[in-house]
Amino acid sequence: MHAYKVIYHLKKISQSIGRTSTGTPKELAQKLNICERQVHRYIQLLKRLGSPIDYCRKRKSYYYKIKGHFSAEFTPFEEENTH
């Protein structure tokens, strides 16, 4: 279930980023009960997946440069109307 843990942490981090409430990487690691190095890895992964993340030293938080959120879940296609 390693993939589930990764997706879980990515979603939690993304939610915190969306609220601009991550705190420092160390504080975020403590909130998620993971090591600080893992926080940096998850942030880099989110960036590689296209998330426009930056860090504000004044607010001591990561934030999205544009509004949005990370999603990694199944979304069904709408059925085509075949009439």
Side-chain angles (χ1 to χ4, degrees):
M1 279 297 187
H2 179 69
Y4 176 78
K5 273 185 165 181
V6 170
I7 292 169
Y8 171 82
H9 283 117
L10 291 175
K11 288 175 105 176
K12 285 294 190 185
I13 291 169
S14 177
Q15 290 169 353
S16 291
I17 292 170
R19 292 188 306 268
T20 314
S21 65
T22 63
T24 65
K26 183 177 182 175
E27 292 168 339
L28 183 56
Q30 291 170 344
K31 289 179 193 176
L32 297 173
N33 200 28
I34 59 177
C35 69
E36 188 176 346
R37 183 172 21 166
Q38 195 63 42
V39 166
H40 290 288
R41 287 180 183 149
Y42 284 136
I43 294 293
Q44 289 306 312
L45 178 55
L46 284 166
K47 286 180 177 181
R48 285 196 308 269
L49 293 170
S51 298
I53 300 170
D54 209 346
Y55 184 79
C56 178
R57 293 180 192 270
K58 185 177 180 180
R59 288 187 260 165
K60 296 183 180 177
S61 182
Y62 290 99
Y63 67 95
Y64 285 123
K65 296 176 197 175
I66 59 173
K67 290 191 181 267
H69 67 92
F70 174 77
S71 177
E73 52 198 38
F74 178 78
T75 304
F77 293 127
E78 290 184 31
E79 289 187 37
E80 292 183 22
N81 191 351
T82 58
H83 296 320

